[in-house]
Amino acid sequence: MALFLLGLLATGISAASGAWSLLPFAVYLVGAIVLAVRPVTSRFGAGLLLAIGVWVLIGAGVCVALLNNPRGFV
């Protein structure tokens, strides 16, 4: 859910600031790495890092499916 909201935030920012729109993702990634390294929060941080991979796989699959649909997006 957090990655989806970050994506929405980045698309809203991207029109105005260009490369600065990647800042929310960079903060998420750095935060997830910091949490994964600390022993107390390592499982939560690992889950956040795994969520990035799942988000990319699911997002890419949906995008390719929509683009390969010969009838359009309906």
Side-chain angles (χ1 to χ4, degrees):
M1 188 61 148
L3 283 172
F4 177 73
L5 293 175
L6 281 174
L8 289 177
L9 177 66
T11 55
I13 294 172
S14 65
S17 60
W20 287 100
S21 64
L22 297 176
L23 185 63
F25 293 112
V27 170
Y28 179 90
L29 182 62
V30 169
I33 291 171
V34 167
L35 289 173
V37 172
R38 295 181 60 207
V40 176
T41 59
S42 63
R43 293 182 67 173
F44 183 68
L48 290 176
L49 290 172
L50 284 171
I52 295 171
V54 171
W55 181 62
V56 169
L57 284 173
I58 292 173
V62 170
C63 182
V64 169
L66 288 174
L67 291 175
N68 285 330
N69 189 357
R71 296 177 298 177
F73 296 122
V74 180

